[in-house]
Structure formats: structure tokens, C-alpha cells
Amino acid sequence: MRKQVGSKSVPLEIMKFNMASPALIEASAGTGKTYTITNLVVRALLGLGSKEVALPRPLQIEDLLVVTFTNAATSDLRSRIFERIRAARGAFETFIDNALKLISEALEQENEELVASHYLEKQDLSKVKSAIANGRKRAKKRKAALTIEGRISDDGTLESLANHDLDDSENDYLETKASDYTEDELQHLLLNIDVKAVMSGSNVDPTFYDMITDLLSRKVVPLRHAILLLAQAERKINNASICTIHSFCNSTLTQLYALESGEAFNTELKRDLYHESKEAIYGVWRRLFYKEKCSTTLKDTLGAYNPDSFSKLLDSLGAARHSDPKSAFAGYYLEGFEELMQEVNCPIDIHSAQSLESQLVNWLNDLDSQSDSSDNDAKISILREYDNFLSAIPQKQFEGLYNPQTKAPGYLLDGTKAKFNNAAPALLEKIYSLYSYANEIKEVLSTPNLLGKDINALYAKLPSPVTLSKGKLKNFVSRGHANTDALEKDVFHYIDSFQSIWRTSEERVEKLKRVLLVLVSIIVQQELMKLCQENNVMDNDDVLRRLDYAINNRGAAGERLAELIRKRYPLAMIDEFQ
């Protein structure tokens, strides 16, 4: 497991990890991310670590924010933190019991070398002996008190004192407990003791050795007090803010700091907004499509869609949504969209006081009034290119390549045994059909102020440019012939020209379609947000955006909210951030 420090990645050591500054822990699955978090929780509760890497003070369990992404993971994380706290408390208690027992037994044997062997540095053993002696006296008093208490029988009468007298000669050595010593005595007894030697043979995680050593050396929290702090944390584990990211954002917005965030107290966090989304989509759809005079442009471009199919579009658009509805384009980061609007001459101004829906309706009315003219212009461009082709390659010349009666190679290829490639005859037949309408095409192009219905009538008779595609065809005749090479080249040139004009027209339609899809989707999203505010509900994605907006886009109020969160949670840890 490694942590990110600046641009470098270095191995993580739990007791040397800097808890006072932001850090990213990177690790593969199963390498101990959650294990590390549980140990860091123990460190935080006890203020462990050197001055450079420790928190300013030990924290209460309620001061910690530990975030994960699913309810199941939250439950598991809470359980593992609880088990780690309990394991740490058990390890500390085991250490004290083992240490006192070893020291007491060594002193009982009057073996100073044995006592000294348990210490990293030889210290004044007279103080050790004095502390042990004081502890034994308190242990005797404790045992005496228990014995006197035990003289009272079940029926409340005193039993014979003879059966309970203490024999001092048998009680010079008593196994003492941590409670038999003052804080100073206990700290002095354990200060320089060899933790590993004392814990030898104990089934205790070695990580706790470093924690014990830190507690003894730094004296920030006495060891016995550390045990009490951990016991307190165990009892309050259900008060710990161990939650999903959505639960944290929701409680911050609607419970803890509703006034500061500007949210309603009773806003409900819902898993999804299915019903609200349906209501928003159908509401917008009714206003735009289900009315007496629905826009022709809207029907032609989005007619293949229905309210149900718009749900997926909303999901896709949500990925580009920003927390501030006034940023970028109506709160969405849509790369290249405003340039696309310019290409289709969309006049919508997102900063206008007029609503987006009203602007869209006005633009659609303009497009409807221009649609006939635009459609005619596109068709006339194609007719003009058809006329250019018919003028450049006369019918007789074209028949040199293609014989319309036999559908075989033309007279220029007589005697060559030439054969058409597979797709050539069908394509050449469609192109040849243009010659039948040569006069009509010239008449239409030469008539001023021609009506759209006349243009459409002729255009319907002609092969559509989309059907005049050469596809993968590179030559009409297999094993090209010099007699027709130049003619083939000219025909292919005009085929490419037909396609180019048609694509230009289709691309504009497609661009218009994309612009309208986005604008209608944004209008639906705005309608959904309006419904959510009216009903005081929000979903998981919305709660993240709302908190981000409350912190980063509300000026002094946002700064105040951020400061309140920081004060409430001096330490925040994110487990498995996605």
C-alpha cells in the first residue's frame, strides 16, 4: 500500500502517516485499505504519532467522518472500526497485565537483572520497587475489602471471622492490577519497558506495539486513560459518522446545517426520481408536441422519439451537469455545443431573462416559417448538380460505358470481353435514368419564383442522392480499359459531388436534431428540478451537487458552511472513493 505525497508515491507506515494534512492512499484490492483506516481511527482517538504527523488533539468518536459508497460497505466498515477499537483496548490491557506480572515476579525473586532485562534502558530500580510496593499495599487493601465483604452470608448474618483472617506471611506477594497504581506510578513502571518482550507469546497485532510505545514515550494520553477512551469509543460507536457519501451530504444539507445551506429541513433523499422524471418528461412533451399547432421542424427532427426514450437522454446529460445552474451552458459542460448552435443559427441566449422553453418555441416558429425555403434550397442544389452532370456527359457518351437495353458494357467496350463489377449495373441504371428528366430539370432551374410543390414533384421522380452511392466500388468495369477510363473517372467525380451536397444537407439536419435534443432535455431537467423543489425530494446525484453548490457558490454563506463542517469533523476519511 502506498500514499500519494505531491507527485510522489511512497509506502505507507501507519504510525508515520501524516494525519494533519490531506493525502491519497492508493492500493489494489485486498491490500488493506480498510485495515489502514481502522488503525488511523485508533490513532485519531488517542492522538498518536509524533508531533509532526499527529492531529492537534485526541478526537472523540463523534468528531470523525468516515465515508464509503454503499450501505453494505458502511455497515462492514462500522463493524471493523468497532472491532479494531476493542482489539486495541484489549492489547493495551494485556500489555499492562503482562508487564506488572513480570516485574512483580522478578522483584519477588529479588532478581534485579531479570527486572532490568524487561527495560530498554536500565533505570533507577528503587523507584520501580517503591511503585510495586505501593501497588501491593493497595492490592492487599483491595483484597481485604473483598474478604470483609465476603463475611456477610446470604442470610445477612456475620460468619466466623476465623475463616477469613488474612495471613500476612502468605500475602507478601499479590498479583497487582493497573487500578492498584497511580497514573504516575504506572507510567513510571512502564515507561522504558521492552514492549515486544512483554508481549512475547501474546496473540496481538504488532501494530499495537508501536501504539503502546508511542503512548508511553509521548505521555499525551496515559496508557490507562487510553483504555478508558477506547472503551468510551466502543460504547458510542453508533454515534460515529460512518456513512455513505450521499447520507453525509443529505444530513449536512437537511439536518445539521439546513439554514446555512439554504435547504428545506424536510427534504427527502430518494433512491431514484422515477415518478418525478416521468411527470417532468410528459409535462414538457405535452407543451411542445401535444398541442394544436405543433412545430413542423420539431416533429420532423424529433418525431422518432417519445417520452419514454427521453429517460436515457436525461441520464446521459446528467453526466455533464454542474452544481451551479448558471455556469457554462445552463449548468451543463457541453464541449462544442455553443459552436454547434452557431452552425444552425440558433438564437437562444442562455443569459436572457426569458425562459429557455419560451426561447425554444420562438425559434421553432422561425424555423417552421423558413423550412420550405431551406428545403427548396437544398433540393435545388442537388438538381443543379444533376444538370451539370447531364451537360458534362451527354447521353450518347454515357452509353459508351453503359448499354441501357442490355444492361451490359457500352459500345466503347465492344469486342473487349469486358464485364461489369457486381454493383456497377444497378448504379449505372439509376444514373442513366437522369437523362429522362434532363429537360424538366432545366425548366425548373430556369423558372424564377418556382413553387415548392413543383420542385418537390420533380424531385420525387428522380433517384435520391443517397441511392447514388458508389460504396466500395472503385471501377465499373473489371480490369479497367483505356477506352472508358476517363469516362469512368468523370462519372465517379459527379457521384462524389452528389453525395457531398446531400451530406451537407443531411449534416445540417443532424446538427439541428442534436441541438434540439439537448435543449429539450435541459428543459425537461429544469422541469424535474422544479418538481423536486415543490415536493422537497432529491436523488443521490442531486444531493452531491446541492452540497457542492452550497459550499462553493453561495459566497460568505458557503464559506461559513465549509468552516462549520471542518469544525464538526476535524478528520475525514474516504474509503474506496469512486
Side-chain angles (χ1 to χ4, degrees), residues 434-536:
L434 290 173
Y435 290 101
S436 302
Y437 304 99
N439 292 332
E440 288 185 58
I441 292 173
K442 283 187 178 296
E443 183 181 349
V444 165
L445 292 175
S446 62
T447 302
N449 302 320
L450 194 66
L451 297 177
K453 63 179 182 178
D454 295 325
I455 296 174
N456 291 335
L458 173 60
Y459 194 80
K461 299 177 185 178
L462 304 175
S464 169
V466 71
T467 66
L468 302 180
S469 172
K470 65 183 180 182
K472 295 182 179 180
L473 197 64
K474 295 182 179 179
N475 299 96
F476 292 114
V477 180
S478 59
R479 301 177 184 177
H481 291 266
N483 294 349
T484 57
D485 281 350
L487 181 56
E488 282 197 34
K489 184 177 180 181
D490 289 342
V491 173
F492 275 123
H493 164 75
Y494 278 101
I495 290 174
D496 290 339
S497 181
F498 300 156
Q499 292 291 303
S500 176
I501 295 172
W502 173 76
R503 278 195 299 268
T504 299
S505 175
E506 289 299 306
E507 283 174 2
R508 187 184 185 283
V509 173
E510 183 61 28
K511 289 176 181 178
L512 178 61
K513 175 182 175 181
R514 287 164 58 191
V515 169
L516 290 176
L517 278 174
V518 171
L519 292 177
V520 173
S521 297
I522 292 176
I523 291 170
V524 170
Q525 190 66 53
Q526 290 176 342
E527 181 77 3
L528 175 59
M529 291 301 98
K530 179 182 175 183
L531 288 172
C532 288
Q533 289 177 351
E534 291 174 354
N535 299 330
N536 287 333

Side-chain angles (χ1 to χ4, degrees), residues 257-263 547-566:
Y257 305 115
L259 293 176
E260 290 80 2
S261 63
E263 292 288 340
L547 182 57
D548 179 58
Y549 178 81
I551 292 175
N552 296 309
N553 296 282
R554 298 186 69 239
E559 294 175 5
R560 171 64 177 161
L561 176 59
E563 183 62 24
L564 288 171
I565 294 173
R566 280 192 291 267

Side-chain angles (χ1 to χ4, degrees), residues 271-423:
R271 187 172 183 178
D272 64 64
L273 298 173
Y274 175 81
H275 297 292
E276 290 82 1
S277 295
K278 288 294 182 185
E279 184 177 349
I281 292 171
Y282 276 90
V284 172
W285 213 260
R286 281 192 295 270
R287 295 198 296 271
L288 294 180
F289 287 89
Y290 302 157
K291 60 181 183 179
E292 185 176 354
K293 293 183 179 180
C294 174
S295 165
T296 303
T297 303
L298 190 63
K299 285 191 294 186
D300 290 344
T301 52
L302 302 185
Y305 291 88
N306 58 57
D308 292 333
S309 63
F310 248 72
S311 296
K312 293 182 179 179
L313 291 173
L314 289 179
D315 292 339
S316 302
L317 191 65
R321 189 176 168 203
H322 192 254
S323 57
D324 183 3
K326 295 182 180 179
S327 65
F329 185 85
Y332 293 87
Y333 286 114
L334 304 169
E335 186 175 357
F337 181 69
E338 293 184 72
E339 290 79 0
L340 190 63
M341 290 175 61
Q342 292 176 2
E343 291 182 34
V344 297
N345 299 317
C346 177
I348 287 177
D349 179 8
I350 204 63
H351 303 295
S352 170
Q354 189 178 13
S355 72
L356 180 59
E357 184 173 343
S358 296
Q359 292 187 71
L360 175 61
V361 170
N362 292 339
W363 181 43
L364 288 171
N365 291 336
D366 292 340
L367 289 175
D368 287 346
S369 64
Q370 302 167 7
S371 61
D372 288 343
S373 175
S374 299
D375 187 49
N376 289 343
D377 289 345
K379 290 176 180 177
I380 288 174
S381 295
I382 292 173
L383 290 176
R384 187 171 287 113
E385 194 62 14
Y386 281 172
D387 184 56
N388 291 338
F389 163 74
L390 295 172
S391 300
I393 304 176
Q395 182 175 355
K396 186 63 178 177
Q397 184 181 353
F398 190 84
E399 289 176 354
L401 174 64
Y402 173 74
N403 187 329
Q405 282 75 37
T406 63
K407 296 184 172 63
Y411 62 82
L412 291 175
L413 297 169
D414 287 346
T416 62
K417 298 182 180 181
K419 293 183 179 180
F420 282 137
N421 288 317
N422 289 338

Side-chain angles (χ1 to χ4, degrees), residues 103-104 107 115 119 123-135 181 185 188-190:
I103 296 170
S104 296
L107 288 175
V115 175
Y119 289 87
Q123 59 182 12
D124 187 354
L125 293 184
S126 62
K127 292 184 179 180
V128 174
K129 291 179 180 180
S130 174
I132 290 293
N134 290 336
Y181 299 92
E185 288 172 344
H188 186 79
L189 282 172
L190 304 177

Side-chain angles (χ1 to χ4, degrees), residues 31-67:
T31 54
K33 296 185 295 295
T34 305
Y35 169 83
T36 299
I37 283 182
T38 61
N39 279 304
L40 294 178
V41 167
V42 175
R43 270 193 59 187
L45 294 173
L46 302 178
L48 297 177
S50 64
K51 186 177 181 180
E52 294 75 19
V53 300
L55 293 169
R57 61 178 176 83
L59 302 179
Q60 298 290 319
I61 193 73
E62 298 93 332
D63 296 334
L64 305 178
L65 173 64
V66 186
V67 174

